[in-house]
Amino acid sequence: KMGDTTISYLIDSANYVFLIDTFLGPISMGYIKDYLIEKNLTKKKMIIFITHGHWDHYWGNAVFPEALIIGQELCRTKIMADGQQNLEKYIDFAEGTIQIVPPQITFLSKLSFPEENLEFTHTPGHTKCCASCYDVLDDILIVGDNIEDPIPYLMEGDLTPYITTLENYIEQNPKVIIPGHGKEQENLDLVIRNLEYVRNVSQNTVDFTEFTKTHILLHAENMKFLANVAMENQTRDLALQYLQSGLVALKQENYDNHQNLLRELEDLMHSI
Ligand SMILES: [Zn+2]
């Protein structure tokens, strides 16, 4: 979730130090700086990898002016397009003074560092620009926001690439999966649950009976987003289907803090 604690991950490889995602700015990145000094890693050249172009993953980029920043091509495009605007919008989350720095080296489908045993792959899902980092030696896969507990935030209208990405993660079956927020995963359970959810959304077969309060709220937010995209694409039936799904979920339990969202979905429904 944006604004929640984002995981930054350091990899000390043969010739470089790789930093995956830079969170919210200078204050949180201060811990990374201290750690690098403590471990005597400041002489190594740093390469920063940004998993995707959401502000809570790259606001600390400018803290390391010597570093080279890499990212998927669309990640750069996104940051160039909405970085400044989102900085103003979410300024309350800033940890120190933020300067927007997009990736300086981009790749399309894959970028490999064979000597470092690291591979960066375009894995669209949560956003079009999502990419993952695979640490070959340790069999660790860093997936950014493509995996989330309990269910992912859907932020693209087309769910097909997301399904493919999650299927690929399962086929790859790494020892450890590091998500962008929350706990590291030592099995595929959460990936499988996330895949099931995205598939069910795409087939309109979501079953809410096991959903918790948080689950329901997230699902309804997702449905609002997808319904808006469907309306923009003038696919009215699809929009109705999403709104219906969100409304049924929200009406299942009578939670006070769901009332606003419920009203929003109902208004959207009437506007179609
Ligand atoms: Zn994100």
Side-chain angles (χ1 to χ4, degrees):
K1 184 173 136 194
M2 288 194 267
D4 266 10
T5 304
T6 305
I7 290 174
S8 289
Y9 194 81
L10 271 176
I11 302 170
D12 178 18
S13 70
N15 303 290
Y16 304 97
V17 173
F18 283 83
L19 173 60
I20 321 291
D21 285 344
T22 61
F23 199 31
L24 294 174
I27 296 169
S28 40
M29 284 306 99
Y31 295 103
I32 302 280
K33 275 186 160 174
D34 292 345
Y35 185 84
L36 291 172
I37 293 165
E38 188 190 311
K39 300 284 171 187
N40 213 4
L41 291 169
T42 48
K43 295 228 166 55
K44 269 187 168 174
K45 171 97 182 157
M46 182 189 273
I47 299 179
I48 294 175
F49 166 66
I50 302 304
T51 56
H52 65 296
H54 278 155
W55 53 276
D56 55 331
H57 293 259
Y58 68 80
W59 272 4
N61 284 5
V63 175
F64 306 96
E66 314 282 302
L68 199 63
I69 306 172
I70 60 172
Q72 209 275 341
E73 172 97 0
L74 295 170
C75 175
R76 177 181 162 91
T77 314
K78 180 168 171 54
I79 295 173
M80 298 288 281
D82 67 15
Q84 205 54 46
Q85 182 189 325
N86 280 333
L87 176 59
E88 284 153 33
K89 193 166 165 190
Y90 299 105
I91 192 76
D92 288 347
F93 292 98
E95 294 192 343
T97 308
I98 313 296
Q99 195 198 325
I100 301 293
V101 188
Q104 301 134 340
I105 294 190
T106 65
F107 59 94
L108 287 176
S109 61
K110 192 167 183 166
L111 177 64
S112 294
F113 289 81
E115 272 77 29
E116 318 305 313
N117 287 294
L118 290 174
E119 292 169 359
F120 301 89
T121 311
H122 185 206
T123 49
H126 163 72
T127 61
K128 281 191 190 83
C129 68
C130 282
S132 305
C133 166
Y134 181 52
D135 175 338
V136 181
L137 277 185
D138 295 331
D139 195 18
I140 293 175
L141 187 63
I142 300 148
V143 296
D145 289 356
N146 275 340
I147 303 293
E148 290 206 73
D149 191 16
I151 53 171
Y153 276 86
L154 304 178
M155 300 188 133
E156 299 291 346
D158 181 9
L159 298 172
T160 316
Y162 205 161
I163 292 170
T164 307
T165 287
L166 295 176
E167 285 170 344
N168 289 341
Y169 288 161
I170 291 168
E171 195 177 299
Q172 189 177 351
N173 191 17
K175 201 162 76 188
V176 177
I177 291 179
I178 315 253
H181 311 273
K183 287 195 204 95
E184 58 176 62
Q185 304 291 315
E186 288 176 4
N187 56 53
L188 291 172
D189 293 357
L190 184 58
V191 188
I192 291 165
R193 270 189 285 134
N194 279 190
L195 173 60
E196 228 166 49
Y197 173 72
V198 181
R199 255 199 207 132
N200 283 335
V201 168
S202 77
Q203 294 164 357
N204 193 25
T205 52
V206 180
D207 172 14
F208 326 102
T209 43
E210 306 279 294
F211 274 26
T212 63
K213 196 171 164 177
T214 333
H215 245 104
I216 290 176
L217 203 59
L218 284 169
H219 175 66
E221 287 284 359
N222 283 340
M223 293 307 99
K224 185 176 91 177
F225 174 80
L226 289 178
N228 276 312
V229 175
M231 272 148 77
E232 276 165 33
N233 296 335
Q234 311 204 318
T235 43
R236 188 177 169 272
D237 290 348
L238 195 60
L240 283 173
Q241 176 192 304
Y242 289 138
L243 289 173
Q244 197 67 43
S245 176
L247 285 168
V248 172
L250 286 173
K251 283 176 179 167
Q252 189 172 266
E253 299 282 346
N254 200 13
Y255 297 127
D256 279 354
N257 60 346
H258 288 181
Q259 296 308 312
N260 283 343
L261 190 55
L262 187 72
R263 229 165 293 132
E264 268 184 79
L265 292 188
E266 278 171 345
D267 287 350
L268 274 172
M269 188 77 128
H270 294 138
S271 74
I272 296 182

